Amino acid sequence: MMKTNILILIAGLFFLPQSVNSQCVWTSDSYDNFEYSTAIPGLVSGTTYHPNPLSYAAHTGLKGFYMNFVNGLAGNTVVFSREYPVCVNAQYRFSTWVKEINGGSSTITLRVRDANNLILAIITNTYVNSAGWIQWNTPSLNPSTSTIYFEIVYNGGVGNNDFGMDDLKLEICSPPIVNQMLDFCVNENPVNLYDSLITTLGNTGVWIGPSTLMNGYLGTFDPSSDSAGTYSYTIADTVPNCPDSIEILDITIGLGPNVVLGNDTGLCTGDSLVLDANNVGATYLWQDNSTNETFTVLQPGTYWVQITDSCLVYSDTIVIQYSTYPLLDIGPDTVLCQGEVFTINATTSNASYLWNTNDTTPLISVNTTNSYWAQVTVNKCSIRDTIQVNFDPVPTVNLGADSTLCQGQSIILQATNSNATYLWSNGSTNPILFVNSSGTYWVEASINNCKASDTVVIYFILNPVPSLGNDTSLCDGETLLLSGYFPNSTYLWNDNSTDSVFLVNQTGTYWVEVTNSCTTVSETINVSYNAFPIVDLGDDVEFCDEASVTLDAITNGAAYLWQDNSTKSWFEVTTEGLYYVKVSVNGCSTMDSIFATVLPLPIVELGSDTVICAITPFQLNSFNPGASYTWQDLSTEPTFLVRNQGFYWVEVIRNGCSNSDSVYVNEISCEVILKMPNIFTPNSDGVNDILIPILISGVESIHTTIFNRWGDIVFVSEDEQILWNGTHSNGNELPIGVYYYSIEIIDENAERVMFNGNITLNR
């Protein structure tokens, strides 16, 4: 990569302090882009410039030319000086673009001076070719002479040091438009307008205005020669290279303020009134010390304004009163049906009324679709409310007259209406209803809640439906009454009889023809007769408890139904009661019954296996009145005395029913033995902590009581092992000492045995 070193030396930057008018507008009055290499107007020196500028690119310009200087001059030479005429104390500023053309460098001073050689702006820089075009600007300048000079001084350079400049521009700061107003009153003395304007425009202003009122800027204006009003005149400055001053003069001739607030008036709650005291150029003072041109009234009171202009002071007063708006609600929008009448009520106390129907009453009655409004006025305060009343068409419904038809026929009922909805008696919502059965039918048709309905009765004459039933079988001696009845009909049976019924008492084929106003229908039945089956369960029976009896009703081809709904041909009886069976063959049934009595078994209860004491007899008892007995040793008494250990049984027979029982008797020694320790140590060391017997036997139950030496009970136990841990029954630990026990034992023969002694408690 090649590096290029660029050196720019700022030799000096100096501007004289100037006053600045921040309200002016900068415009370019003079601009040079040096499009032609010819003599430049205003160029007073520095005529040495490069003769061939065509080979270089300008900063801007239509043809690409710019001013080219130096061309081998010595240093500290003024190479360019241009004169500009200006206005004293006006604001100006310069800007231009400069660059080094060839490969060397040039040190250049750009400066602005006035005719007295006072430097207004100056800057010195060294420019190199690689830097390109560099812009130079001055701040705002306020010259004190009518001529200023823009100059370029070549201070010296290195190498090919041609120097170029382009787009030299002088800008002027023009003051803003001045709008000056002069007010006069009618009949005021004439005035010389020049006196009011000379300080603004100097002697260079040119008047633009009616020549009848003024003659140039020295014109004299006489307010008495014209009527009140406002007149405008324009003054313009046309000096070259000076700010273009423009002043607009508005002259007003006034008669003095004039305002009328109007007559005292009344307003309604919530209303407002804007009081306008408009007078051009005037000042205002209202009753609340506000100073606006207008005042908005929002509440009752007395209001006044004082108006002051250069001619006169004027005031006016108005009294404002407020009234409350009446309340009005004539109801919501309403939809009714044609033929109805709707009353709209706007009644309000002490009010007057106006309807859009031109009625002036508090109520109106309407029967046509429209938007209706009522205006109610109380104390000049009016309020209006509107309601939309629509009258919808009522559907037309006619189902016709009641009708009678034959079964199989049908009828269509119609309720069709445009844009209607429907509800029939069966829930249908169609405009038509297909009817093929008798009944009362109604329909309700609706159009926007306007409804109409109609009802019709349709009766269908049914075809006769004789029902003689299926072919059937009867049992000998039975009869069957056949019926062909159907309302409003006639009958013809197979034997030419014409009653509605026919009695059958023998096998045969039977038919009937039933005729009504619509048709004839016939029905046939075949009837046959069967014999009853023979059933015999026998005589009532008796049997022993826990035995059974089988009842037999077997018949060929039969069906059976017992009292418990079982269907077998036999029934096993195990309990006492009445038993019966129905036997059916070919639909003919015969029943029979029997009563079964259960004889109880004798009661035999020798008891559970037991233990007896040695040498103590034990009696077994199996007594039942009227019974016989057989024991294991073939003895026949109701009781048996057991003297030895062994197995014993007995069989008892009563009324032919037998029962038995057995028992095993074990023989033991019944002596009571109890051996107690004389000391125990409940110290929780796991050794001898609990008082228990050393040896105990022959005990059925035991009750232990332990006393202290004063005879107080400290422990009671029903446990065979006693299990005393040396604490009081209340849970407190007992002290070391001798304690006494009393032990009551019931032995296996229910005998009572007592043991007393003492025990030492040690820890």
Side-chain angles (χ1 to χ4, degrees):
M1 177 183 292
M2 179 178 292
K3 296 184 179 179
T4 303
N5 295 320
I6 300 175
L7 177 63
I8 300 177
L9 299 178
I10 301 178
L13 178 61
F14 172 71
F15 297 110
L16 296 178
Q18 307 289 338
S19 63
V20 178
N21 182 356
S22 61
Q23 301 299 318
C24 64
V25 178
W26 289 97
T27 58
S28 178
D29 273 18
S30 178
Y31 184 81
D32 286 327
N33 58 19
F34 306 109
E35 289 298 330
Y36 301 98
S37 57
T38 59
I40 300 173
L43 188 64
V44 296
S45 65
T47 57
T48 301
Y49 56 86
H50 203 289
N52 185 17
L54 298 176
S55 61
Y56 303 102
H59 175 255
T60 59
L62 298 175
K63 295 185 179 181
F65 293 101
Y66 59 87
M67 181 64 74
N68 191 357
F69 302 100
V70 183
N71 197 21
L73 294 177
N76 298 318
T77 302
V78 176
V79 296
F80 182 84
S81 179
R82 182 165 181 189
E83 177 185 304
Y84 291 89
V86 294
C87 286
V88 176
N89 294 324
Q91 296 184 69
Y92 300 88
R93 65 186 181 190
F94 280 97
S95 68
T96 188
W97 292 82
V98 294
K99 70 174 291 186
E100 171 64 24
I101 298 173
N102 291 321
S105 65
S106 299
T107 301
I108 302 297
T109 296
L110 301 175
R111 69 188 181 192
V112 180
R113 63 180 177 85
D114 64 10
N116 296 324
N117 289 324
L118 176 65
I119 300 300
L120 303 179
I122 186 170
I123 184 172
T124 300
N125 278 334
T126 296
Y127 299 92
V128 296
N129 178 262
S130 59
W133 288 100
I134 299 174
Q135 189 176 28
W136 181 79
N137 296 286
T138 70
S140 176
L141 309 174
N142 293 95
S144 59
T145 63
S146 60
T147 301
I148 60 175
Y149 300 89
F150 176 81
E151 295 178 334
I152 300 176
V153 180
Y154 171 63
N155 302 113
V158 178
N160 296 322
N161 54 359
D162 288 353
F163 176 73
M165 179 180 68
D166 200 4
D167 297 337
L168 175 62
K169 179 168 59 176
L170 171 65
E171 291 182 290
I172 304 170
C173 189
S174 299
I177 296 174
V178 177
N179 191 340
Q180 184 168 332
M181 299 181 63
L182 297 177
D183 294 332
F184 302 93
C185 296
V186 174
N187 297 324
E188 197 169 315
N189 293 328
V191 63
N192 189 329
L193 295 179
Y194 174 79
D195 294 337
S196 65
L197 302 174
I198 190 64
T199 57
T200 302
L201 295 177
N203 293 326
T204 62
V206 176
W207 288 99
I208 302 174
S211 59
T212 57
L213 292 183
M214 29 185 135
N215 181 15
Y217 61 86
L218 297 178
T220 299
F221 177 65
D222 184 359
S224 63
S225 65
D226 209 334
S227 60
T230 299
Y231 306 87
S232 296
Y233 300 89
T234 302
I235 307 164
D237 181 6
T238 59
V239 177
N241 278 352
C242 284
D244 294 330
S245 300
I246 298 175
E247 183 162 347
I248 298 175
L249 177 64
D250 292 328
I251 301 174
T252 300
I253 304 174
L255 293 172
N258 180 30
V259 64
V260 177
L261 297 180
N263 297 326
D264 295 344
T265 189
L267 299 176
C268 300
T269 301
D271 289 351
S272 63
L273 175 65
V274 178
L275 302 178
D276 192 348
N278 178 37
N279 278 262
V280 176
T283 59
Y284 311 93
L285 178 63
W286 293 87
Q287 75 289 330
D288 65 346
N289 293 320
S290 61
T291 57
N292 295 326
E293 177 183 310
T294 62
F295 185 89
T296 301
V297 176
L298 298 174
Q299 59 186 7
T302 299
Y303 299 86
W304 56 262
V305 64
Q306 178 179 289
I307 308 167
T308 303
D309 68 5
S310 58
C311 297
L312 192 63
V313 176
Y314 183 84
S315 65
D316 194 17
T317 301
I318 186 172
V319 177
I320 307 295
Q321 294 180 338
Y322 271 79
S323 298
T324 303
Y325 278 101
L327 298 176
L328 178 61
D329 182 3
I330 61 175
D333 294 346
T334 301
V335 178
L336 298 96
C337 300
Q338 286 180 350
E340 295 181 336
V341 176
F342 184 64
T343 299
I344 310 175
N345 189 348
T347 302
T348 304
S349 298
N350 303 317
S352 60
Y353 307 90
L354 177 63
W355 298 82
N356 59 323
T357 59
N358 293 322
D359 289 291
T360 57
T361 57
L363 296 90
I364 64 171
S365 296
V366 299
N367 57 8
T368 57
T369 296
N370 204 347
S371 177
Y372 296 91
W373 56 257
Q375 178 175 297
V376 175
T377 302
V378 177
N379 295 328
K380 297 183 180 180
C381 291
S382 299
I383 188 170
R384 181 178 292 188
D385 193 19
T386 302
I387 184 176
Q388 177 68 36
V389 182
N390 292 333
F391 288 86
D392 288 342
V394 178
T396 301
V397 180
N398 184 5
L399 299 181
D402 296 345
S403 300
T404 300
L405 296 90
C406 290
Q407 184 178 3
Q409 294 179 323
S410 62
I411 186 172
I412 295 177
L413 303 179
Q414 294 189 358
T416 304
N417 280 263
S418 178
N419 299 321
T421 59
Y422 309 91
L423 177 63
W424 292 86
S425 49
N426 67 345
S428 172
T429 57
N430 295 320
I432 62 174
L433 185 68
F434 182 82
V435 176
N436 58 9
S437 62
S438 298
T440 299
Y441 297 89
W442 56 262
V443 65
E444 181 181 76
S446 301
I447 301 178
N448 295 332
N449 293 323
C450 293
K451 301 177 180 180
S453 62
D454 193 20
T455 301
V456 65
V457 177
I458 306 297
Y459 179 72
F460 282 85
I461 299 175
L462 301 178
N463 293 334
V465 186
S467 179
L468 301 181
N470 297 327
D471 292 347
T472 188
S473 295
L474 301 177
C475 299
D476 290 342
E478 293 181 341
T479 60
L480 176 64
L481 185 64
L482 302 177
S483 176
Y485 176 78
F486 198 81
N488 303 315
S489 300
T490 60
Y491 314 93
L492 178 64
W493 292 90
N494 52 284
D495 66 349
N496 292 321
S497 62
T498 57
D499 290 338
S500 62
V501 295
F502 188 91
L503 185 63
V504 175
N505 55 16
Q506 61 184 359
T507 298
T509 298
Y510 301 88
W511 57 260
V512 65
E513 290 181 350
V514 182
T515 302
N516 65 8
S517 59
C518 289
T519 188
T520 297
V521 179
S522 63
E523 176 79 353
T524 299
I525 186 174
N526 292 311
V527 180
S528 61
Y529 277 80
N530 297 310
F532 286 99
I534 298 173
V535 181
D536 184 9
L537 296 180
D539 297 332
D540 294 342
V541 298
E542 291 181 345
F543 62 94
C544 295
D545 194 8
E546 299 182 1
S548 65
V549 174
T550 300
L551 303 180
D552 188 357
I554 296 175
T555 301
N556 290 335
Y560 309 91
L561 181 64
W562 294 88
Q563 74 287 333
D564 65 349
N565 293 321
S566 61
T567 57
K568 295 180 180 179
S569 62
W570 54 270
F571 191 87
E572 185 177 7
V573 177
T574 59
T575 59
E576 185 175 291
L578 178 66
Y579 296 86
Y580 59 86
V581 65
K582 179 181 179 181
V583 180
S584 300
V585 178
N586 295 324
C588 296
S589 302
T590 302
M591 293 185 66
D592 192 19
S593 64
I594 188 175
F595 190 86
T597 300
V598 177
L599 299 176
L601 297 177
I603 299 173
V604 182
E605 180 61 53
L606 298 181
S608 302
D609 292 348
T610 187
V611 177
I612 64 174
C613 294
I615 315 176
T616 302
F618 178 73
Q619 187 179 61
L620 300 176
N621 190 348
S622 63
F623 175 76
N624 280 266
S628 62
Y629 311 91
T630 302
W631 291 89
Q632 76 285 337
D633 64 351
L634 301 181
S635 62
T636 58
E637 296 298 324
T639 61
F640 188 89
L641 187 62
V642 177
R643 297 179 182 276
N644 299 303
Q645 178 175 305
F647 182 75
Y648 298 87
W649 59 263
V650 66
E651 180 183 33
V652 181
I653 299 174
R654 185 179 63 182
N655 297 326
C657 297
S658 75
N659 197 4
S660 64
D661 193 18
S662 64
V663 63
Y664 184 81
V665 178
N666 189 24
E667 184 180 66
I668 63 172
S669 173
C670 296
E671 180 183 3
V672 175
I673 300 173
L674 175 64
K675 184 177 182 180
M676 295 288 291
N678 59 7
I679 188 171
F680 80 114
T681 57
N683 55 9
S684 301
D685 62 355
V687 178
N688 201 20
D689 287 330
I690 303 296
L691 175 61
I692 60 176
I694 296 173
L695 177 63
I696 186 170
S697 66
V699 175
E700 182 67 25
S701 66
I702 183 171
H703 179 81
T704 302
T705 304
I706 298 178
F707 307 86
N708 62 17
R709 61 181 177 173
W710 294 285
D712 298 325
I713 297 175
V714 297
F715 179 76
V716 176
S717 172
E718 302 290 338
D719 195 294
E720 184 175 325
Q721 296 299 313
I722 302 177
L723 303 177
W724 182 39
N725 63 358
T727 60
H728 196 284
S729 57
N730 60 15
N732 294 327
E733 190 176 85
L734 293 169
I736 294 173
V738 177
Y739 293 84
Y740 301 90
Y741 59 81
S742 176
I743 301 175
E744 179 184 10
I745 295 177
I746 305 299
D747 66 12
E748 293 175 349
N749 290 322
E751 296 293 333
R752 176 173 175 269
V753 180
M754 293 297 297
F755 294 89
N756 296 299
N758 60 72
I759 183 77
T760 299
L761 186 155
N762 197 359
R763 299 185 190 279

